Amino acid sequence: MSSSSSSSSTPSVLLNTGVQMPILGFGTYKLVGPGDVFQAVDAALVAGYRAFDSAAVYRNEADVGRALKELLPNHGLTREDVFITSKLGPKDQGERAMEGALHSLSQLDLGYIDLYLIHWPGTQGLVVADQHNPGNRAQSWASLEQLHAQGKLRAIGVSNYTPAHMRELMQSCKIPPALLQVEFHPQLGQTELRSVCEEYGVCFQAYSSLGKGELLTDPVVTEVAKNCECTTAQVLLRWAVQQGVPVLPKSSNPDRIKDNAKIFDFKLSDTDMDKLSAMDCGHKYCWDPSQVV
Ligand code: A2P
């Protein structure tokens, strides 16, 4: 995986499928209902986002698909100009995976999905230590491989996998994952996962770059923001993209959606990058998959 520029102004990363993915994507978690989704997607398109991240569990695939269909022409864009990600819900892990992925496709109704991820290493309804979890993950992956071969899922990957889950997948897959999406911010540097991804040529992507908003008032982040004359959100997002890590900021507020996209016209100094990286203490604000066997 390497960082490069596509024809649009937003830099992109090259996936192991040979496809470029914008390094900045719009996260849609918690955006529900046609009105809110429509407003946020419109603001994101104006601000220059060309990638959108949804999931079956967000219950917004149909609204995201409809909003894009309706809004893209208004912005002089077509389906091919945007990169759409969605994810298989944990309730569909295992023998229901094919049905789950096809349901995402029909909900989004965009012909194909650019990137489809297994959302979680476990299965809804099973305890984390249940020995059926590995078999269910493998079955889901085989279904995603079939849909990839049919061109319905242009790239396939995983989310919330630990280094152990990644190694297990690499040993059994026919098609290697294109991407791993996990929580990543200065307090959670994910050193081991990043080196596993590097070793296997898997793109490492961040979610919750703002630590669910908690890091926006952190004293170190605030000091760096003052130095750079930018917002703390921009510092946190820039810290990731400056390392070549794609980000998915999510906001329901048009001003913040715009603000979060302005991360390509300034650079953090090596000193500021080091100060932020030194915050790593392994802190997770979101789900912890480490106990899922
Ligand atoms: P809102 O939708 O009201 O903007 P994370 O991605 O780390 O999980 O953080 C998401 C949270 O951060 C959301 O609650 C979102 O709330 C908030 N947020 C997103 N961008 C900004 C910003 N630029 N400034 C302040 N809060 C933000």
Side-chain angles (χ1 to χ4, degrees):
M1 199 268 299
S2 62
S3 224
S4 64
S5 266
S6 65
S7 51
S8 71
S9 55
T10 303
S12 58
V13 291
L14 182 65
L15 302 182
N16 61 15
T17 52
V19 167
Q20 298 277 351
M21 181 187 79
I23 200 164
L24 171 73
F26 185 66
T28 67
Y29 177 48
K30 292 221 167 133
L31 278 175
V32 190
D36 286 358
V37 170
F38 193 95
Q39 188 198 38
V41 169
D42 197 32
L45 287 168
V46 171
Y49 295 76
R50 294 293 177 265
F52 294 83
D53 181 86
S54 180
V57 296
Y58 301 170
R59 296 175 183 274
N60 63 13
E61 287 172 312
D63 288 330
V64 168
R66 260 197 299 270
L68 284 168
K69 261 196 191 164
E70 203 169 320
L71 290 167
L72 287 174
N74 300 350
H75 294 270
L77 298 167
T78 66
R79 167 69 184 93
E80 282 68 40
D81 296 319
V82 289
F83 187 100
I84 310 302
T85 299
S86 196
K87 312 183 195 84
L88 181 77
K91 78 172 173 51
D92 291 326
Q93 184 86 286
E95 60 186 22
R96 291 172 49 89
M98 177 66 74
E99 205 183 312
L102 290 172
H103 188 66
S104 286
L105 266 161
S106 82
Q107 289 287 292
L108 280 160
D109 195 24
L110 294 169
Y112 61 90
I113 297 175
D114 295 275
L115 174 66
Y116 198 68
L117 311 177
I118 295 179
H119 205 151
W120 179 254
T123 309
Q124 191 169 312
L126 297 186
V127 294
V128 287
D130 195 302
Q131 297 302 323
H132 291 97
N133 280 316
N136 286 351
R137 283 196 288 280
Q139 200 170 2
S140 296
W141 191 255
S143 297
L144 266 51
E145 286 179 329
Q146 276 185 47
L147 292 169
H148 175 64
Q150 292 168 20
K152 290 179 175 149
L153 309 176
R154 296 229 167 141
I156 52 179
V158 291
S159 182
N160 295 302
Y161 272 34
T162 65
H165 299 136
M166 289 301 286
R167 291 193 183 99
E168 169 201 85
L169 176 59
M170 292 309 299
Q171 272 161 23
S172 61
C173 65
K174 290 198 191 95
I175 298 165
L179 181 142
L180 167 67
Q181 185 188 113
V182 290
E183 181 180 349
F184 176 68
H185 45 68
Q187 286 187 344
L188 187 64
Q190 300 276 28
T191 315
E192 189 184 356
L193 264 181
R194 288 188 70 190
S195 69
V196 169
C197 285
E198 179 94 53
E199 181 188 341
Y200 294 129
V202 177
C203 177
F204 177 93
Q205 183 180 47
Y207 74 69
S208 273
S209 296
L210 315 181
K212 281 191 161 173
E214 297 285 324
L215 292 172
L216 293 165
T217 50
D218 176 273
V220 177
V221 181
T222 306
E223 188 194 318
V224 173
K226 228 181 241 168
N227 289 346
C228 302
E229 296 180 345
C230 62
T231 67
T232 50
Q234 288 165 340
V235 166
L236 291 160
L237 295 165
R238 179 70 206 182
W239 173 81
V241 298
Q242 201 162 308
Q243 301 174 68
V245 175
V247 291
L248 296 165
K250 53 180 191 279
S251 175
S252 49
N253 176 299
D255 289 335
R256 293 200 277 273
I257 291 171
K258 198 166 138 193
D259 184 58
N260 294 346
K262 290 186 187 154
I263 51 172
F264 301 109
D265 55 1
F266 72 100
K267 202 170 176 290
L268 297 174
S269 69
D270 291 348
T271 314
D272 284 343
M273 286 295 286
D274 291 347
K275 257 192 229 167
L276 293 161
S277 300
M279 288 167 60
D280 189 8
C281 56
H283 187 81
K284 291 190 177 86
Y285 290 94
C286 306
W287 309 273
D288 184 356
S290 61
Q291 302 306 310
V292 180
V293 297

